[in-house]
Each structure stands twice: as structure tokens, then as C-alpha cells.
Amino acid sequence: MSKKLRPVLIGALGAASVAALVITTPALSTAAPAPAAAQSASVLATGDLSVAAKKEIAMKLVSSAENSSLDWKAQYKYIEDIGDGRGYTAGIIGFCSGTGDMLELVEAYTNSVPNNPLAKYLPALRKVNGTDSHSGLGSAFESAWKQAAATTAFQTAQNNERDRVYFNPAVSQGKSDGLSNLGQFAYYDAIVMHGPGTDHSSFGGIRSAAMKKAKTPAQGGDETAYLKAFFTARKVVMNEEEAHSDTSRVDTEQLVFLNAGNFDLHTPLKWKVYGDSYTIN
């Protein structure tokens, strides 16, 4: 069962509409280089979570929290209403019928494959966007989702939307902030749960709160200090909603890696989420 309970994106805005709001601070990589002494405070040079092997690790880490499984590719067909007020949650990243990203996924899929099993549900998805309603969807829609998920075309569509709305913006911002693979993953996991945007409870809001407490490596700060500030800011937001109050994906996963100095996310990795133990060798 997916445990992701991402807050509803701004009103009925689609994921693409809010994705543009993720990065509100100019890319710090274009700023004047910090003095050598300040640069030395950074633990590691910028990582690259988009490298295939590291990205695979990131997908498994997120899946352990989202679906209690490392087999993230088995989640293309996943769909259910987890009772969080966001309607259906489905697919590899937990696209939601109430937050816009599911609608935009199906629109993109239909643009590339017009005669697909989900195309006829587009009017209903537009009507329920921003609500938890199942009107016009229901069990027939669930069956159509699973049917589509068996195809390479819909799997590719899910991958593309995941990257466009969540993974690529998180990694890009992480690189601009001078973060390692661990730091970039922390951004990615946060944007998956909290959504893109600039408000207090979004990824952008969490990042802004952290930057008030510590400098990013690109600003000459220490990555350990900055990530601890980011984790603290994120946990404040998580604890504001009962459904998010289990902060183990930070405490017994990301913070464990940070305390071990594993900024590269090198294997083996061992962690716990919601009390369950996982290992990547």
C-alpha cells in the first residue's frame, strides 16, 4: 500500500503549472565562486543522481517508502484510494487524481497513444481534479489503468512525467545548490511527498526554510549542516499533518546515510522506513 500523502497542489492547478514554481531562487551555480576557504567547507563536489546506477538506487529508496517494496517497476499498475483526500493514488510515483499530475500524465499518454484504455476518462479526470471524487471513474477506471500499465507506452509515459515534474527539477536544483547524490535524493524524496511549489508546505517552501538556517555548499556552506537544516524543516512540515507524522523516511533512512558520511549513496545501503528494513547491495 502506498504511504505517500502529498498535499494537494495549489487549487486545481496541474502538475506542469506548478512545476515551473519549484525553483524560485536563481541558480546558484551562476553566482560568483565562493572564496577557496568557504568552498573547502563543502563535504563533496556536486553529485549527479541522474547517472543510471544512482537513479536506480533513488527509485528503490522512494519505492520503499511509497510502496513498501524495492521493486518500483511493479508499481506501474498500482492504483487505489488511500483515503488521504487526493482521490486515486497510482503508478510509480503516486500520481493523484485530485492533484493534477494524474490528469497531465493521461493527457501526455493520450497525445502519444490516442486510442488507449484511459483516454475516455479524460473528461472525468478534469472534473475531479482538485477533489477526492471518483465520479466517472470507479472500478472501470481502475481496470483500465492496470490494462494500460501492461504496455510499454504507458510505462514510458509514467517515467517521463516522473522525470519532468519531480526527478529532473529536484536534481537540477540540487546541482545548483552544490549537493551530493545524497542531497539531490533528499530533494527528490521531498518533492515526491510534498509536491512542487513555493508555499510553506511544498518542496520550495521547505528549501527556503532550510536556507534561512544554513548555507548551501554552493554558497560556501557545509553540506552536512545544510542537509540537517533541510531535514529539520521538512519534519516540521511533515508533523503538521497527521498522515505525514511518521518521519522515518528522514530519521532512519536519509539521516542514517548522512551520519555515515555516505554522500555518494554507495552500496551496500541499509535503512528502515515505517519500521521495515531494506538493503541494496
Side-chain angles (χ1 to χ4, degrees), residues 56-72:
E56 179 68 15
I57 287 173
M59 297 304 109
K60 289 181 177 180
L61 289 171
V62 168
S63 185
S64 72
E66 299 294 303
N67 300 96
S68 300
S69 169
L70 298 184
D71 188 3
W72 66 270

Side-chain angles (χ1 to χ4, degrees), residues 1 7 23 28 43 66 72 85 89 97 119 122 130 154 159-160 182 194 202 208 216 232 253 268:
M1 174 178 172
I23 301 173
L28 296 171
V43 176
E66 299 294 303
W72 66 270
T89 295
S97 59
L122 278 171
F154 191 44
N159 292 342
N160 290 343
L182 173 58
H194 303 286
S202 69
S208 295
T216 67
T232 297
E253 182 189 287

Side-chain angles (χ1 to χ4, degrees), residues 1-4 56-72 75 92 185 189 248-249 252-254 257 271-280:
M1 174 178 172
S2 173
K3 298 184 177 69
K4 183 178 68 56
E56 179 68 15
I57 287 173
M59 297 304 109
K60 289 181 177 180
L61 289 171
V62 168
S63 185
S64 72
E66 299 294 303
N67 300 96
S68 300
S69 169
L70 298 184
D71 188 3
W72 66 270
Q75 311 310 321
I92 57 170
F185 172 72
D189 190 66
S248 60
R249 64 198 294 162
T252 55
E253 182 189 287
Q254 296 169 47
F257 303 154
W271 73 98
K272 291 183 178 180
V273 180
Y274 308 120
D276 298 327
S277 298
Y278 299 93
T279 301
I280 298 177

Side-chain angles (χ1 to χ4, degrees), residues 3-275:
K3 298 184 177 69
K4 183 178 68 56
L5 300 173
R6 181 176 60 252
V8 176
L9 302 184
I10 305 169
L13 287 178
S17 302
V18 294
L21 301 177
V22 174
I23 301 173
T24 59
T25 301
L28 296 171
S29 59
T30 61
Q39 288 182 334
S40 67
S42 180
V43 176
L44 287 178
T46 302
D48 187 359
L49 197 66
S50 64
V51 171
K54 298 301 180 183
K55 185 174 183 179
E56 179 68 15
I57 287 173
M59 297 304 109
K60 289 181 177 180
L61 289 171
V62 168
S63 185
S64 72
E66 299 294 303
N67 300 96
S68 300
S69 169
L70 298 184
D71 188 3
W72 66 270
K73 293 181 180 178
Q75 311 310 321
Y76 289 113
K77 65 181 181 297
Y78 166 76
I79 181 168
E80 69 173 322
D81 188 328
I82 60 176
D84 64 349
R86 282 90 174 172
Y88 282 112
T89 295
I92 57 170
I93 206 65
F95 301 99
C96 295
S97 59
T99 63
D101 54 356
M102 179 182 285
L103 169 60
E104 295 203 355
L105 165 63
V106 177
E107 287 177 335
Y109 174 44
T110 302
N111 285 339
S112 60
V113 184
N115 297 318
N116 70 74
L118 297 174
K120 65 182 179 181
Y121 294 100
L122 278 171
L125 284 171
R126 294 186 180 106
K127 288 181 180 179
V128 303
N129 189 24
T131 77
D132 63 356
S133 174
H134 291 187
S135 179
L137 300 172
S139 59
F141 175 70
E142 296 172 30
S143 297
W145 182 280
K146 293 174 183 178
Q147 179 185 348
T151 69
T152 300
F154 191 44
Q155 293 172 14
T156 298
Q158 289 194 39
N159 292 342
N160 290 343
E161 284 299 290
R162 172 202 62 203
D163 290 349
R164 182 181 70 85
V165 180
Y166 300 103
F167 187 79
N168 291 346
V171 171
S172 177
Q173 186 64 73
K175 288 181 178 180
S176 292
D177 287 346
L179 300 182
S180 63
N181 287 323
L182 173 58
Q184 291 172 32
F185 172 72
Y187 276 13
Y188 174 54
D189 190 66
I191 200 172
V192 165
M193 173 176 275
H194 303 286
T198 59
D199 61 286
H200 162 75
S201 61
S202 69
F203 164 70
I206 294 169
R207 175 174 171 269
S208 295
M211 291 177 70
K212 293 177 181 178
K213 299 295 183 179
K215 291 182 179 180
T216 67
Q219 294 173 316
D222 175 74
E223 182 167 14
T224 296
Y226 174 71
L227 287 180
K228 285 185 176 180
F230 184 81
F231 293 155
T232 297
R234 182 180 178 190
K235 287 168 64 176
V236 168
V237 172
M238 292 173 76
N239 281 312
E240 289 175 349
E241 183 177 352
E242 183 178 355
H244 282 159
S245 59
D246 185 326
T247 59
S248 60
R249 64 198 294 162
V250 174
D251 298 326
T252 55
E253 182 189 287
Q254 296 169 47
L255 193 56
V256 169
F257 303 154
L258 180 62
N259 289 337
N262 192 355
F263 292 90
D264 187 50
L265 291 179
H266 58 75
T267 56
L269 289 169
K270 296 182 179 181
W271 73 98
K272 291 183 178 180
V273 180
Y274 308 120

